[in-house]
Structures are given as structure tokens and as C-alpha cells.
Amino acid sequence: MRIALDAMGGDFAPAAVVQGAVMAGRANPEVEILLVGDERALQRELASKGGVPPNVRTCDAPEAVGMGEHPVSALKRKPSSSVARALRLAADGEADAVVSAGNTGAVVAGAALLLKLLDGVRRPGIAVTFANPTGPCTLIDAGANLECRPAHLVQYAIMGSVYHQHAFGVPKPRVALLSVGAEEQKGNKLVKESRPFLAELDLNFCGNVEGEDVHQGRCDVVVCDGFVGNVVLKTSEGLGENFLAGLRERAEKDVWARLGVKLLAPVLEKMKRWLDFSEYGGAPLLGVAGICIICHGRSNDIAIRNAISAAARFSRHDVNGRIVAALAAERDVWMRATENSG
Amino acid sequence: MRIALDAMGGDFAPAAVVQGAVMAGRANPEVEILLVGDERALQRELASKGGVPPNVRTCDAPEAVGMGEHPVSALKRKPSSSVARALRLAADGEADAVVSAGNTGAVVAGAALLLKLLDGVRRPGIAVTFANPTGPCTLIDAGANLECRPAHLVQYAIMGSVYHQHAFGVPKPRVALLSVGAEEQKGNKLVKESRPFLAELDLNFCGNVEGEDVHQGRCDVVVCDGFVGNVVLKTSEGLGENFLAGLRERAEKDVWARLGVKLLAPVLEKMKRWLDFSEYGGAPLLGVAGICIICHGRSNDIAIRNAISAAARFSRHDVNGRIVAALAAERDVWMRATENSG
């Protein structure tokens, strides 16, 4: 298996990405890693590693897409950017998966454009998994599709369920629709229109849930539109970080509290990992005809290594093959969802 | 000032509500509190208090609206429910404010119906304030209006800014629009259409923010549609509770960590208050022609007491008078927002 790694994407690129690639290369000798980025910068980074595993290679891509750039125009203007070239390698069959911590919008737009979509898929969706104490919970969509229609949510439910089942070994994931109350009559137009179709699917649909349920173990897969999902993801991150920082800051002022923090250090470290959404190695973009793992912009070397392992796992379990089969089996439902709501 | 208190609303009603009323009555002798609910149940509760302050009275309302009931039909079917009667007292000028921890949908619908809206207001919005370590941050709308249009967000920005300024003494609150990135071109249709109008307002508008900024002190007022706002509120609550519970649970397994939790107890208590969104005494429903404070369903006596104080403060600062003036001054902007987007 060959993985094209966008070496220039992310806040700590290329250093953290190269380090993550070297770590992953050592841990997975069967995986070939293509570091896509500025050749000279990559060679400089690799030279500092003191021994590069033979399964880590480079592929020159002199340009980079910045985090603030407009996704589609950046892709058009910069065909030899690291993200475009990594996706191109996958599109041309020279790589089996793409991993990027770069501009999410550019990765999503580029993947849809270059890899194309799986048979029948209307819109791809980002599936991000929270490492809750009660077990993993996958939220889809975390920001690929900001204007969703019912058919999109129906397909997200199917794709999210298949992914969660095979990525985390949960036989019949409990799939829920994110709303403002459990009651059927509650929700916005999108939720109300989507719910009956979700209930029809051959899934373990457990109805509507609220924001708190994303972190409380009441469901395994949460379906929502990309705007809401992105806000949930960022709110959770912000609150978690603030919580840990606030705890440490307040404890600083008191000698006993400071000792308390020291004694709790191993527990706080575990809590931090819960709130670190790269724990599960990045978020797959489900629905594209290929494997595309999106990492957090702030990904460090460990997050990159985990993302490479996640890409390999995704391939091993043939998640895309199973998604295509599941979508085909439920074609009648999402076709009706499309017709009834445009 | 007379406050009508929905004594049957909330998970711990009427006990916690009556207790909160007694506490508030003692602390604010100038405020008259009308406990609206089942007379016999209220008398029973009051009898157990050992002395009821003279400024706490009861008003019989034999029916109650349940948390799962459909708001509008429940109000129609139960005109003598505690929430309908409390609102009716305010509508008839027999009370100056209403406080309820009951079915939020019923309170919102009832307030709009019975109190009517302030001059020019298109939709009322719930303003909930997070007690972040960096200072209070008010989010509007937290769930009153699930289908927002740009004119609604424009009015929420104005009302939220006025409220935050006078409730928390912040001279020029920094008002932000919740989106999926700070860049102007990011966001869903509603955000993209609303932003130019928000930028035109005579407010301290600081642009678009992401979910994490709700808890990180980058802005004082966050504007969003009620669906998103409700999800942010519930996600924050769920994560905060889980965090504290997770910390305690993990610490249980280790004697040193257990000691650490003991030493940190005062700090954790403060953190808990940060995550307790009733700290600021409930969320006002802004835009109605009256004072209506919505409390969390799980409100305890202290939350109810705080909500009564918040209602009194709202009245003292004439927040509604100032909202009407601010809306009139910006009429041109929200009228254009209405015309341009329906």
C-alpha cells in the first residue's frame, strides 16, 4: 500500500509531517510513504533524522496552499502544490491513499474533483471521531458540506455507520440525528425532513439526540450538516483546551492545588488525549472514490503517524467497498429523499 | 417590581422553585414574587420552609406543561397552566417579569403570543451567557428561532450587544458572527448573507469566529441561528459535565490521584461554576415586550434565585428601552437585510 502524504500541509509542516512519516514508516514496513512537498525542504528534514526507512520516499511539489486561501481557486492556480500533487498521485493510481493536515477546504474540493465520488454519492462528508470515555463517537459531517439536504444526511448516516463499524469494530453502531431535542417534532427544517428517511434505513437508528449526547455515550454515530458539525468540533476542542488550561492556571495560585495537579498528572494526560481529536488518526473524507484522511492543522508527528495507520486500516477493511454496497442496498431511500426535497 | 415565577416548571419543581423564591424574597425585599402553580402543592412546600417572607405570594394555576409537550398546542389546551398564567399576569400588567424553568418551547411561544414583540422585532432570541474564565460571553440565539434569516441575525447582534453591555457592564461588547472560519468567504449561506449587514451596524463587530471562540475570550457576544446555538450550548454542557465526571472517575482508581482531586477540590468547584450556565441567572428571551427569563430545566434553588435577581437587573437597567432605541437607530440596516433575503 502506498500513501501520499501532503508534507507541506499543517501548522508544523514540513518538520512534524516528515517526523510522523519516518515513525509510521518504521512501524509499518509494508506501507510505502510518499512525502509530497518541496524537495529541498524535505531532504533537509530527512537528513536530520539520522536514518530514513527505505519505505519513505519524496515527490517534489514546489508550491503550497495556505490555510487562508480559497480552496478551489488555490487548486486551480497551484496544480503543483503539495495537496494537488498528492491527490493527483492517488487519482492516477500511483498512491492508494492521501493524508493531509493542510487547508481542509482545498483537500475536500481537490478530493471531490480529482478522486471523484463513489457510485451514487451526492456529497462527501468528513467523519471525525471523539475519543469519549464511554467509547468512540463518530460525527459526520464535520465541515465538508455546509448546505445539506436530506439526501446528504441519509447518505452520511449510511457511510458513517459503515465506517464506524469497521474502524472501531462496533457491530451495529447506534446512529443518531443531531437536533435540539429527542422529540420527533423538534428540530429545524432539515432535521424534520431527514428523520423519516433515516428511520427507514436498515441501520440501528436511535432517533434524535442533542449536543450533549455527542460526548455522553448515548450513540456511536452522530449525523448533522457540515456547518453544525464543524461548530460542534471546534466548540468541543476550545472548551477542552480551556478547561485544562484553566485548571492549571487556577491551581498555580495555591501550593496545595499545585500539588494536586502534580498528583493528577497521569489522569490529566489521559483526559487530554480524550479531547485530542487526532487520537484516532485524522478524519476520513467519506464518499470519495479513494482514501483521503484529513488531519487537524495543528497535527504533530504522532497525529501524522496515527493518520497513516488509519489510512492503512481504512484500506485493509475495504471501507469504501462496503460503503458502495450499503449505499446500493439503500438506494431507494436516498433516491426518495432526493426527490422529495430537491 | 413584581415577578411571576412559573413554580411548576423544571425538573425539580415545585420544591427547588419555591426554595429559590424564598431565598430571593429574603435577599430582595423590594421585589414581590408571585409563585404561579398548583396552590395546594405550593402551600405544602411553603409550609415546610419555616417562615415565608411577606413578599412571596402564590397564584393558583392547577395545570402544568410537560417538557415533552408541543409548545403551542399545550398553551392552547392548558390556559390555566403555570407558564400560561405567569405570562398572562405579565401581559395584563400584574407582573413586571416572568421567570420559568419549564418547557422552553412553550415559554418562547407563550411569551411571543401573550407579551408580543418589541417594536420592529422580527423574532425573539434566547441570550445565554457562558461564565468563561476570560469573562462572560453571551450567545444569541440559543434555541428560540431554528430557521433564521439575515434580518434575524442582524437584530440578534443589536439586542445581544445592548443586553451584554448593560447586564455585565462591558462598554462596547465585541460582537462576532459564528462560522466555520474567520475568513469572510467561509460559512453557510445564512452567514455569508448576514455578515455584510452586521459589519454595517454601529457595533464593535469583530468579524466571524469559530466554535472554539465561544469559550476563549475573543469576543463578548456570539450571534448564530437558534439550531446551532442550542447545539453549542448543549455540547458545552455535556463536555463540561463529562470532563469533571471523567476526572473524578479516573482518579478513583489511584490513591495519589484521589488525593490530587481532594487538593484540587476548591479549584474544581470554581471550574464547575464556569460550566454551570445558570451562574448568570438564566437566559433572557430578548425581543419580547416584557421581561422573560428562561432557566435551565435542571435549575436548582440557587439558579432560580439568580434568575429572579437577573430579572430585577434587567428591569433596573431598562434593557428593553435601550433595545428599542438601538433597533430604531439601525432600522435602515435590518430593513435592507429583510428585503434582500426575504
Side-chain angles (χ1 to χ4, degrees):
Chain A
M1 171 170 197
R2 290 153 309 167
I3 295 174
L5 185 58
D6 172 5
M8 311 310 279
D11 300 348
F12 308 122
V17 183
V18 171
Q19 177 62 25
V22 169
M23 286 159 70
R26 286 198 189 117
N28 310 278
E30 79 290 0
V31 172
E32 197 177 324
I33 299 165
L34 292 165
L35 276 165
V36 185
D38 181 73
E39 184 69 34
R40 274 182 18 204
L42 295 182
Q43 289 304 343
R44 209 163 38 232
E45 282 299 330
L46 286 170
S48 73
K49 295 298 167 234
V52 174
N55 54 336
V56 175
R57 293 191 297 117
T58 60
C59 169
D60 192 31
E63 292 178 300
V65 172
M67 294 309 251
E69 289 191 66
H70 187 277
V72 178
S73 59
L75 283 169
K76 280 195 186 144
R77 255 192 358 266
K78 297 178 174 174
S80 57
S81 62
S82 56
V83 58
R85 201 150 272 184
L87 287 164
R88 173 62 68 195
L89 285 169
D92 293 347
E94 288 172 52
D96 305 295
V98 175
V99 171
S100 176
N103 179 318
T104 299
V107 179
V108 171
L113 223 70
L114 296 171
L115 303 180
K116 313 286 185 219
L117 301 184
L118 291 173
D119 198 29
V121 169
R122 292 285 184 260
R123 291 278 188 287
I126 299 172
V128 68
T129 302
F130 296 98
N132 294 336
T134 45
C137 178
T138 296
L139 176 132
I140 178 170
D141 170 40
N145 177 8
L146 305 183
E147 304 289 348
C148 280
R149 293 198 294 268
H152 305 158
L153 295 193
V154 170
Q155 294 196 336
Y156 289 159
I158 299 168
M159 298 195 293
S161 179
V162 168
Y163 168 67
H164 193 89
Q165 179 180 346
H166 295 285
F168 305 104
V170 175
K172 266 270 177 194
R174 294 158 300 166
V175 178
L177 180 60
L178 187 58
S179 186
V180 297
E183 302 85 351
E184 244 177 88
Q185 78 274 14
K186 284 193 180 169
N188 59 12
K189 192 164 166 276
L190 176 67
V191 164
K192 285 187 206 163
E193 285 183 4
S194 304
R195 186 184 159 120
F197 295 111
L198 264 71
E200 266 193 69
L201 295 170
D202 184 25
L203 292 180
N204 189 2
F205 180 60
C206 60
N208 296 4
V209 295
E210 300 182 68
E212 63 214 66
D213 298 311
V214 173
H215 297 294
Q216 297 195 336
R218 209 165 301 163
C219 50
D220 303 304
V221 176
V222 173
V223 175
C224 61
D225 83 59
F227 187 89
V228 172
N230 190 274
V231 170
V232 168
L233 173 61
K234 304 272 180 71
T235 301
S236 300
E237 280 187 317
L239 193 59
E241 279 169 24
N242 260 23
F243 199 94
L244 285 170
L247 191 68
R248 291 210 165 89
E249 198 188 303
R250 276 151 202 245
E252 264 312 302
K253 293 170 195 147
D254 176 272
V255 59
W256 294 112
R258 250 192 342 256
L259 178 60
V261 166
K262 284 223 175 87
L263 292 172
L264 271 174
V267 173
L268 290 176
E269 196 45 49
K270 266 186 216 154
M271 300 298 283
K272 197 175 153 192
R273 234 175 292 153
W274 164 35
L275 298 163
D276 179 0
F277 307 120
S278 52
E279 174 73 6
Y280 287 126
L285 180 66
L286 299 184
V288 292
I291 300 172
C292 178
I293 308 284
I294 296 173
C295 301
H296 200 293
R298 285 176 296 171
S299 289
N300 60 12
D301 48 0
I302 294 166
I304 297 292
R305 184 201 61 192
N306 289 352
I308 293 170
S309 305
R313 214 158 50 232
F314 196 100
S315 165
R316 227 166 26 238
H317 287 284
D318 187 23
V319 174
N320 277 343
R322 295 174 197 274
I323 283 178
V324 169
L327 285 174
E330 304 279 14
R331 185 183 167 82
D332 167 57
V333 182
W334 53 259
M335 280 304 285
R336 268 186 292 118
T338 311
E339 285 153 20
N340 290 3
S341 53
Chain B
M1 175 174 193
R2 290 153 306 168
I3 295 173
L5 185 58
D6 172 6
M8 312 310 279
D11 300 348
F12 308 121
V17 183
V18 171
Q19 177 61 25
V22 169
M23 286 159 70
R26 287 200 187 115
N28 310 278
E30 79 290 1
V31 172
E32 197 178 323
I33 299 165
L34 293 165
L35 276 166
V36 185
D38 182 74
E39 184 69 35
R40 275 184 14 205
L42 294 182
Q43 289 304 345
R44 207 163 39 233
E45 283 298 330
L46 286 170
S48 73
K49 294 298 169 236
V52 175
N55 55 337
V56 174
R57 294 192 294 118
T58 60
C59 168
D60 192 31
E63 294 179 300
V65 172
M67 294 309 254
E69 289 191 65
H70 188 277
V72 179
S73 59
L75 283 170
K76 281 194 186 143
R77 257 194 354 268
K78 298 179 175 174
S80 58
S81 62
S82 56
V83 58
R85 200 149 272 186
L87 287 164
R88 174 60 69 195
L89 285 169
D92 293 345
E94 289 173 51
D96 305 296
V98 176
V99 171
S100 176
N103 181 318
T104 299
V107 179
V108 171
L113 224 69
L114 297 170
L115 303 180
K116 312 288 184 216
L117 301 184
L118 290 173
D119 196 29
V121 169
R122 293 285 184 260
R123 292 276 189 290
I126 299 172
V128 67
T129 301
F130 297 99
N132 293 335
T134 45
C137 178
T138 296
L139 177 133
I140 177 169
D141 170 39
N145 177 9
L146 305 183
E147 304 289 347
C148 280
R149 293 198 296 269
H152 305 158
L153 295 194
V154 170
Q155 294 195 335
Y156 288 160
I158 299 168
M159 297 196 293
S161 179
V162 168
Y163 167 69
H164 193 89
Q165 180 181 345
H166 295 285
F168 305 105
V170 176
K172 266 270 177 194
R174 293 158 301 164
V175 178
L177 179 61
L178 187 58
S179 185
V180 298
E183 301 86 352
E184 247 177 85
Q185 77 273 14
K186 285 194 179 167
N188 59 10
K189 193 164 164 275
L190 175 67
V191 164
K192 286 188 203 162
E193 284 183 3
S194 304
R195 186 184 158 120
F197 294 110
L198 264 72
E200 264 192 70
L201 295 170
D202 185 24
L203 292 179
N204 189 1
F205 179 60
C206 60
N208 296 3
V209 296
E210 300 182 67
E212 63 215 67
D213 298 310
V214 174
H215 297 295
Q216 297 195 334
R218 211 165 299 165
C219 50
D220 304 305
V221 177
V222 173
V223 175
C224 61
D225 83 60
F227 187 88
V228 172
N230 190 274
V231 170
V232 167
L233 173 62
K234 305 272 181 68
T235 300
S236 300
E237 280 186 317
L239 193 58
E241 279 167 24
N242 260 24
F243 198 95
L244 285 170
L247 190 68
R248 292 211 165 89
E249 196 188 303
R250 276 152 203 242
E252 264 312 302
K253 292 169 197 149
D254 176 89
V255 59
W256 295 112
R258 236 172 18 236
L259 178 59
V261 166
K262 283 223 176 87
L263 292 172
L264 271 175
V267 173
L268 291 175
E269 196 45 48
K270 269 187 214 153
M271 302 296 285
K272 198 175 152 192
R273 235 176 292 154
W274 165 34
L275 297 164
D276 179 0
F277 306 122
S278 54
E279 174 73 4
Y280 288 125
L285 180 65
L286 299 183
V288 291
I291 300 174
C292 177
I293 308 284
I294 295 171
C295 300
H296 201 293
R298 284 176 297 170
S299 289
N300 59 12
D301 47 1
I302 294 167
I304 297 292
R305 184 201 61 191
N306 289 351
I308 293 170
S309 305
R313 215 160 46 233
F314 196 100
S315 165
R316 231 174 13 244
H317 287 284
D318 186 24
V319 174
N320 277 345
R322 294 172 196 274
I323 284 178
V324 169
L327 285 174
E330 304 278 15
R331 186 183 166 84
D332 168 56
V333 182
W334 54 259
M335 281 303 285
R336 270 187 289 119
T338 311
E339 285 153 19
N340 289 3
S341 54

